[in-house]
Amino acid sequence: MNGGAHMKEEHSKRKILSRKMGKMGKSLGISLPKVLIDKLHLSQGNEIEFIENSQGEIVLKKVKQMKIPENVRPEVLEAFFDVFEEDEDILNDLRDR
C-alpha cells in the first residue's frame, strides 16, 4: 500500500489523521501512520482493538497481552471467559448496585 498520513488540527486541539483505504489481497486495509504506532507502542504481531464509544466514535487500543500463570490451565480460563460473556449483563447489573 502506498500513501502518506494526512494530519490536521482542529480548533479543539484534537489531531486528526486520515489514510486512504487500499487493496490488501482480496480485502481492504489501511496502514497505520508512524505517529500512531509510536503512541500505541505497537510492533509487528501486536493486536489492536476497535472500540465504539457512546458517541459512535471508533477508538483504537492496543490489546494487552497477558501471560497465563503456570498453575492455570488455558481451558479453565477459556471456560471462565465463556461464562462471563454469557452472564455479562447479570454481572454488570450486580456491579452497578
Side-chain angles (χ1 to χ4, degrees):
M1 283 180 39
N2 205 359
H6 301 285
M7 184 175 3
K8 63 180 178 179
E9 290 198 28
E10 287 187 338
H11 62 284
S12 64
K13 301 286 183 192
R14 292 190 317 170
K15 292 180 182 177
I16 299 175
L17 297 168
S18 65
R19 299 294 282 211
K20 289 188 178 185
M21 297 291 292
K23 192 158 177 99
M24 298 178 82
K26 294 184 179 185
S27 302
L28 292 177
I30 58 169
S31 61
L32 295 176
K34 184 168 179 1
V35 66
L36 285 182
I37 292 168
D38 293 344
K39 188 170 195 103
L40 294 171
H41 305 287
L42 295 171
S43 59
Q44 185 172 348
N46 289 147
E47 286 185 65
I48 55 172
E49 295 176 321
F50 299 87
I51 304 163
E52 184 176 1
N53 66 20
S54 58
Q55 291 82 33
E57 299 168 322
I58 304 299
V59 177
L60 293 178
K61 184 177 177 182
K62 180 180 179 180
V63 175
K64 292 183 181 177
Q65 300 295 324
M66 292 190 232
K67 289 192 175 196
I68 299 173
E70 289 181 27
N71 59 342
V72 176
R73 294 193 330 261
E75 61 272 14
V76 172
L77 192 58
E78 188 173 325
F80 170 78
F81 282 116
D82 289 344
V83 168
F84 180 79
E85 282 184 354
E86 290 172 13
D87 298 328
E88 185 174 4
D89 292 337
I90 294 168
L91 295 169
N92 287 334
D93 183 51
L94 290 171
R95 179 197 65 207
D96 296 337
R97 289 182 182 201

